[in-house]
Amino acid sequence: MRYISTRNENISVSPSQAIIQGISRDGGLFVPLNIPKISLDELKNLNYKDLAFEIMSKFFTDFEERELRECIKKAYDDKFDTELIAPLVKLGEDYCLELYHGPTLAFKDMALSILPYLLKQSLKINGENKEVVILTATSGDTGKAALEGFAKVDGIKIIVFFPEEGVSKIQKLQMRTQEGENTYVVGINGNFDDAQGGVKAVFNDKEFVEFLNKNNYILSSANSINIGRLIPQVVYYFYSYLLLVRDNQIKLGDKINFVVPTGNFGNILAAYYAKKMGLPINKLICASNENKVLTDFFDTGIYDKRRELILTSSPSMDILISSNLERLLYHLDEEREKLTALCMEQLSEMGFYKIDKDILGDFYGGYSSEEEVADTIKKVYKRFNYLLDTHTAVAYNVSEKYKKEYKEEDIKTIIISTASPYKFPASVASSIGLDIRDRDEFELIDILSKETNMAIPKTIKNLKEKKNIHNHNCNKEDMRKMIEKFLKVGGNND
């Protein structure tokens, strides 16, 4: 398997090199030259770890079997609170795939638990002995999951930038209290797009990258722009489908729908890869909050970021520049990288681009208003005694809208549940009618637990007593200075 840049097919690297680099030197994203096919029949009885090996081995072809299996074994161990890793819960005629049973209670754990091991092995494969600097922007969940995964890993430092006012209080606390001398956390005076744009600008600053290289540092990323983050996410789409088969809910080969709440487009792109590998997916339903840039794109073929970012109760989706959409454009482009490069240039210079929406037939886009999110949490709790977080509520509501429009009675639907409701206690508590006035996050967590008889996860319960370690803050323009300060290079090493 070779990986090429979405903007220049002449840039071709091995899987391990793509994992180390994170982003291509031309600013493009690495994509597999071909998406491999896989036989469902061979997978139907595998547990999560063995299934992960069968899928990842098709993409990470320069890893020896023993090496890859060891990475998987270390990633999906008792840090997850269930042996299933990703349980499937039936809600009426629908199913929720719970991806929040890892250490940070968010779906990002599914990939960020393994990325540190993939990266360490990639460095060995390439005989690289420089220190790796993981540079990551987060809209809430990636940051903590990446910090948790890379903390105390020898030979790696991790720097996370997040929007100071654009994450929940629990998300912010999770990052600010992260232990590990190799971890650094910075709040940005701006939104997630400012943080993500600043990180991309650092990667694309060839002079700065070379300067770090001379100081024995390699830049890499833990965002879903890194192919080592994206490929592990493909696994749980196959896994949830096969769980339905084993439970006799569907027959092998039956088509199903997936509903994915997404802002940066990485999670649903992994589902698209699963479909291209042979998973029988009828429709990929892209669920957005009021920042509905993706919904408008699938409706019209026009991607237009020229709008005000709205801060919502689902902050991990408060995004106007969906980085992974670039990979989809590449795969849909019959002339390969020509369309992608043109679209990215137009987005950068004019703030929008347009394509023929007829090539987007695998997808349906929908969005949920803040009122609909609150109503959905309340309705699902009353009907099923099941608590959704705000992001999953976005997906559930969009799924209902899709079903009203298309009435596909014979097709099962899996809703991707991306976070524990305890990460967003104020929004969830108010949605089910609890009084949140004059109560802090931890009081609300206790009230939620008593009301729902749902145990508080240990990582949340212990958070209150943790010391605030990281108090750094900066403007987008000063991100490079912060990096220099942490790495003690240049003029900012005091």
Side-chain angles (χ1 to χ4, degrees):
M1 173 69 74
R2 299 292 293 177
Y3 285 84
I4 52 178
S5 169
T6 48
R7 303 182 193 181
N8 182 354
E9 287 187 345
N10 292 321
I11 296 176
S12 172
V13 299
S14 68
S16 59
Q17 288 168 337
I19 291 169
I20 294 170
Q21 291 181 38
I23 191 169
S24 174
R25 64 176 182 267
D26 65 342
L29 306 186
F30 287 117
V31 291
L33 188 56
N34 298 294
I35 296 178
K37 298 292 184 183
I38 200 163
S39 168
L40 277 178
D41 198 53
E42 296 173 2
L43 308 177
K44 61 185 179 183
N45 296 315
L46 299 182
N47 62 27
Y48 196 91
K49 292 178 187 176
D50 289 335
L51 179 64
F53 173 78
E54 291 302 325
I55 290 170
M56 291 187 211
S57 64
K58 302 288 189 293
F59 289 93
F60 303 144
T61 51
D62 55 350
F63 284 66
E64 292 182 7
E65 178 174 344
R66 176 187 52 80
E67 295 168 343
L68 185 54
R69 285 195 184 276
E70 188 64 19
C71 290
I72 291 166
K73 180 183 175 183
K74 288 177 179 176
Y76 303 110
D77 57 9
D78 58 9
K79 68 174 71 72
F80 287 83
D81 64 16
T82 168
E83 283 187 22
L84 287 172
I85 307 297
L88 197 60
V89 177
K90 197 172 193 297
L91 297 179
E93 294 301 310
D94 297 319
Y95 303 83
C96 265
L97 180 65
E98 294 182 346
L99 299 178
Y100 53 79
H101 288 272
T104 74
L105 311 178
F107 84 98
K108 306 295 175 78
D109 289 325
M110 302 299 294
L112 283 165
S113 289
I114 192 169
L115 182 58
Y117 301 109
L118 294 175
L119 179 56
K120 287 282 281 185
Q121 191 56 49
S122 294
L123 293 168
K124 283 183 184 176
I125 290 170
N126 288 275
E128 190 61 73
N129 55 16
K130 290 180 180 175
E131 191 160 18
V132 173
V133 179
I134 300 291
L135 198 56
T136 292
T138 183
S139 55
D141 287 332
T142 287
K144 175 57 181 176
L147 288 163
E148 188 72 26
F150 285 100
K152 302 173 186 175
V153 176
D154 291 339
I156 296 175
K157 296 185 189 301
I158 175 164
I159 305 172
V160 171
F161 294 94
F162 73 92
E164 192 70 60
E165 302 304 323
V167 300
S168 79
K169 289 180 182 177
I170 293 294
Q171 287 174 316
K172 188 183 290 191
L173 264 177
Q174 283 185 308
M175 289 186 280
R176 292 284 196 197
T177 58
Q178 176 65 52
E179 296 173 353
E181 291 185 1
N182 65 330
T183 64
Y184 307 90
V185 178
V186 185
I188 291 286
N189 300 319
N191 58 39
F192 170 72
D193 289 326
D194 293 323
Q196 180 170 252
V199 165
K200 281 188 172 181
V202 170
F203 274 104
N204 292 331
D205 185 342
K206 293 177 183 175
E207 190 177 307
F208 185 54
V209 171
E210 183 56 32
F211 168 71
L212 291 181
N213 202 40
K214 285 178 180 175
N215 281 274
N216 223 32
Y217 290 117
I218 299 172
L219 271 189
S220 190
S221 176
N223 283 91
S224 54
I225 56 175
N226 192 315
I227 201 72
R229 245 288 295 279
L230 182 64
I231 298 306
Q233 294 178 260
V234 176
V235 178
Y236 48 73
Y237 290 101
F238 278 93
Y239 184 66
S240 58
Y241 181 92
L242 294 170
L243 286 177
L244 285 184
V245 173
R246 286 175 214 169
D247 202 29
N248 295 315
Q249 299 298 302
I250 60 172
K251 295 193 290 291
L252 203 66
D254 287 352
K255 287 189 174 184
I256 67 169
N257 293 327
F258 280 104
V259 191
V260 188
T262 187
N264 219 10
F265 206 72
N267 204 7
I268 197 166
L269 182 71
Y272 175 80
Y273 274 30
K275 180 171 183 175
K276 292 302 173 186
M277 290 181 75
L279 192 63
I281 297 175
N282 174 60
K283 192 68 75 173
L284 295 166
I285 300 169
C286 180
S288 301
N289 62 20
E290 289 182 351
N291 295 292
K292 59 187 185 73
V293 63
L294 286 167
T295 304
D296 293 343
F297 175 67
F298 288 116
D299 282 347
T300 67
I302 300 171
Y303 191 92
D304 193 341
K305 70 172 184 177
R306 299 172 300 176
R307 60 187 82 188
E308 286 294 316
L309 185 80
I310 302 166
L311 297 181
T312 73
S313 61
S314 47
S316 296
M317 298 160 64
D318 291 346
I319 295 170
L320 295 180
I321 303 173
S322 306
S323 285
N324 271 287
L325 198 59
E326 178 171 345
R327 283 188 169 113
L328 178 67
L329 290 177
Y330 178 84
H331 290 300
L332 295 175
D333 184 6
E334 290 184 0
E335 295 187 61
R336 306 303 275 185
E337 82 270 11
K338 290 182 182 177
L339 172 68
T340 311
L342 178 63
C343 287
M344 293 304 101
E345 185 180 334
Q346 290 176 341
L347 185 65
S348 176
E349 293 178 1
M350 299 184 290
F352 76 99
Y353 59 81
K354 182 177 182 179
I355 67 167
D356 179 2
K357 78 183 187 80
D358 290 342
I359 66 174
L360 300 171
D362 287 325
F363 295 87
Y364 167 91
Y367 81 99
S368 301
S369 68
E370 285 291 90
E371 185 180 356
E372 288 171 327
V373 169
D375 287 346
T376 299
I377 292 171
K378 181 180 181 180
K379 181 174 67 177
V380 170
Y381 179 63
K382 280 190 170 182
R383 187 182 299 172
F384 303 113
N385 195 32
Y386 186 86
L387 212 52
L388 300 175
D389 89 288
T390 47
H391 303 74
T392 310
V394 168
Y396 193 100
N397 177 251
V398 170
S399 177
E400 289 191 317
K401 291 176 179 177
Y402 175 84
K403 281 193 259 186
K404 278 183 184 175
E405 188 173 343
Y406 287 93
K407 298 180 173 60
E408 298 167 338
E409 295 180 8
D410 296 331
I411 296 179
K412 301 289 185 186
T413 296
I414 293 179
I415 295 160
I416 301 301
S417 185
T418 55
S420 164
Y422 281 118
K423 295 195 78 168
F424 310 94
S427 297
V428 173
S430 65
S431 296
I432 63 172
L434 302 181
D435 184 3
I436 67 170
R437 290 172 299 177
D438 303 320
R439 301 182 190 275
D440 69 22
E441 299 280 290
F442 292 100
E443 285 181 281
L444 290 172
I445 286 168
D446 288 335
I447 291 167
L448 259 182
S449 180
K450 287 171 186 171
E451 169 70 22
T452 62
N453 289 318
M454 185 176 168
I456 303 170
K458 283 182 186 175
T459 53
I460 292 286
K461 193 182 288 187
N462 299 337
L463 195 56
K464 189 176 182 180
E465 311 304 324
K466 284 194 148 193
K467 184 181 176 184
N468 200 334
I469 297 170
H470 306 278
N471 295 298
H472 302 288
N473 177 276
C474 76
N475 296 319
K476 181 177 77 170
E477 297 78 18
D478 297 322
M479 289 169 67
R480 173 173 163 170
K481 290 179 182 176
M482 295 300 293
I483 296 166
E484 290 176 347
K485 178 180 177 180
F486 296 145
L487 301 184
K488 297 181 179 178
V489 295
N492 293 278
N493 54 9
D494 52 310

